[in-house]
């Protein structure tokens, strides 16, 4: 997924003020964004949020669907560049075909993880394949890379088998009716094979009817939970698909439950102490770096070519008229 906005706002993220220093419960409303024109996909964007630009190293969160794409184009995201981040693709329903400038071509299905580490620079496209299930539903997340790793060689990972914790077999257990898939990082000793560059976690908790569970957390991490389906209760807060429930730091457990089948996505990580500049699909540290990356994309350098996408690559928007400058995180 891409930020297709032709007038992307600058987002200054991170910094020591980024994390609440205690457990909190803040429901952050999503912004609705249409990707790819009037018949495009409606996404609910919760990160970056004005009050919490990041959660750990998680710096971008789009939730799309469920959408019936039987008579619609579905996902159509033309080739576009990324720097300084990882893209994390996770589906609740449907199929998405990824193609990148390293030559990877990978269909992703629900329960599988696509992880693309942009590092110094990569380009990719994402699209609904011609033959696909009727419903598309998923999330697209970005992880900011720490300074020491943000220039790594780009690479792509597909993880079809992720650790799953249930009440019957995952160490301490997750509780009655709770099944947890660990996308990235580790929960209760179950570690994802996905490569991470800073301490963080992502996990999908599937809650059966009448589920009641308790997820183990790390007090040094900051956390947030996104509702994916149904209607869950997270730390006593009703959570439907849409907003992001920001939970702060200082927690060792998280109570989750649901009266009817529901799914929530847990995101967490060590508070990200670096200030980053996010503009369009690029993450950097200052204005000039973003300008160089944009120039490289527009002149065919650095990012390579995505082969096999039926359409033109996405042009970069014009740079804003004022320089991208670090400023206070909170308004
Ligand atoms: Mn992308």
């Amino acid at each position: 997924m891409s930020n297709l906005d032709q007038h992307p706002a600058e987002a200054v993220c991170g910094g020591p003020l980024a994390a609440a220093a205690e457990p909190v419960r803040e429901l952050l409303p999503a912004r609705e964004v249409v990707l790819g024109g009037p018949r495009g996909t409606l996404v609910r964007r919760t990160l970056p949020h004005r009050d919490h630009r990041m959660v750990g190293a998680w710096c971008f969160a789009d939730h799309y669907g469920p959408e019936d794409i039987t008579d619609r184009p579905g996902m159509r995201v033309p080739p576009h560049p990324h720097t300084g981040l990882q893209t994390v693709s996770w589906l609740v329903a449907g199929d998405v075909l990824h193609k990148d400038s390293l030559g990877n071509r990978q269909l992703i299905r629900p329960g599988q993880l696509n992880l693309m580490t942009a590092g110094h620079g990569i380009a990719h496209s994402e699209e609904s394949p011609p033959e696909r299930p009727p419903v598309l539903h998923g999330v697209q997340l970005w992880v900011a890379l720490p300074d020491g790793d943000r220039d790594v060689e780009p690479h792509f990972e597909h993880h079809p088998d992720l650790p799953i914790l249930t009440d019957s077999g995952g160490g301490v257990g997750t509780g009655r009716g709770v099944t947890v898939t660990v996308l990235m990082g580790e929960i209760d000793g179950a570690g994802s094979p996905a490569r991470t560059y800073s301490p963080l976690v992502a996990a999908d908790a599937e809650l059966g009817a009448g589920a009641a569970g308790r997820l183990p957390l790390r007090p040094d991490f900051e956390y947030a939970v996104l509702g994916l389906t149904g209607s869950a209760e997270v730390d006593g807060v009703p959570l439907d698909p849409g907003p992001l429930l920001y939970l702060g730091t200082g927690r060792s457990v998280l109570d989750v439950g649901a009266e009817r089948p529901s799914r929530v996505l847990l995101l967490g990580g060590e508070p990200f102490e670096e200030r980053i500049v996010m503009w369009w699909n690029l993450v950097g540290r200052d204005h000039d770096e973003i300008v160089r990356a944009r120039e490289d994309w527009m002149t065919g350098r650095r990012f390579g070519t995505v082969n096999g996408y039926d359409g033109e690559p996405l042009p970069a928007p014009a740079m804003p008229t004022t320089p991208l400058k670090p400023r206070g995180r909170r308004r």
Side-chain angles (χ1 to χ4, degrees), residues 1-3 77 80-82 87 116 124 126 140 142 281:
M1 184 75 73
S2 161
N3 185 351
V77 181
H80 60 277
H82 286 291
T87 65
M116 186 178 79
H124 72 151
E126 289 157 299
Q140 168 75 34
W142 297 351
N281 297 301

Side-chain angles (χ1 to χ4, degrees), residues 114-287:
N114 269 8
L115 175 64
M116 186 178 79
T117 302
H120 182 64
I122 194 169
H124 72 151
S125 63
E126 289 157 299
E127 62 196 295
S128 298
E131 299 289 321
R132 74 251 181 151
V135 174
L136 177 65
H137 185 192
V139 290
Q140 168 75 34
L141 311 163
W142 297 351
V143 177
L145 294 172
D147 194 47
D149 295 306
R150 64 194 185 88
D151 222 25
V152 294
E153 288 299 310
H155 56 99
F156 176 79
E157 299 169 37
H158 175 68
H159 296 290
D161 295 306
L162 297 167
I164 294 175
L165 299 167
T166 64
D167 47 355
S168 57
V172 175
T174 53
R176 173 166 44 86
V178 181
T179 303
V180 174
T181 305
V182 184
L183 282 57
M184 293 179 71
E186 178 259 332
I187 288 188
D188 200 17
S192 162
R195 178 142 187 205
T196 57
Y197 291 87
S198 63
L200 59 81
V201 69
D204 181 317
E206 195 160 355
L207 312 171
R214 178 166 273 195
L215 307 180
L217 302 188
R218 283 175 54 162
D220 59 324
F221 274 20
E222 91 183 304
Y223 289 94
V225 176
L226 191 64
L228 295 179
T229 66
S231 186
E233 199 174 282
V234 178
D235 195 27
V237 179
L239 186 63
D240 293 340
L244 183 72
L245 177 62
Y246 179 73
L247 296 166
T249 60
R251 295 168 180 270
S252 53
V253 292
L254 182 64
D255 288 324
V256 293
E259 287 180 12
R260 58 190 173 94
S262 305
R263 277 172 74 170
V264 297
L265 184 71
L266 174 73
L267 300 175
E270 211 167 71
F272 200 77
E273 297 293 344
E274 297 171 46
R275 286 173 174 264
I276 65 173
V277 178
M278 267 177 68
W279 181 81
W280 193 43
N281 297 301
L282 310 169
V283 169
R285 294 298 183 273
D286 60 40
H287 176 84

Side-chain angles (χ1 to χ4, degrees), residues 26-32 44-51 242-245:
E26 295 177 31
L27 216 43
L28 309 178
R31 289 170 291 135
E32 294 196 340
R44 293 174 293 277
R45 183 165 299 164
T46 46
L47 289 178
H49 188 274
R50 188 189 61 195
D51 297 330
L244 183 72
L245 177 62

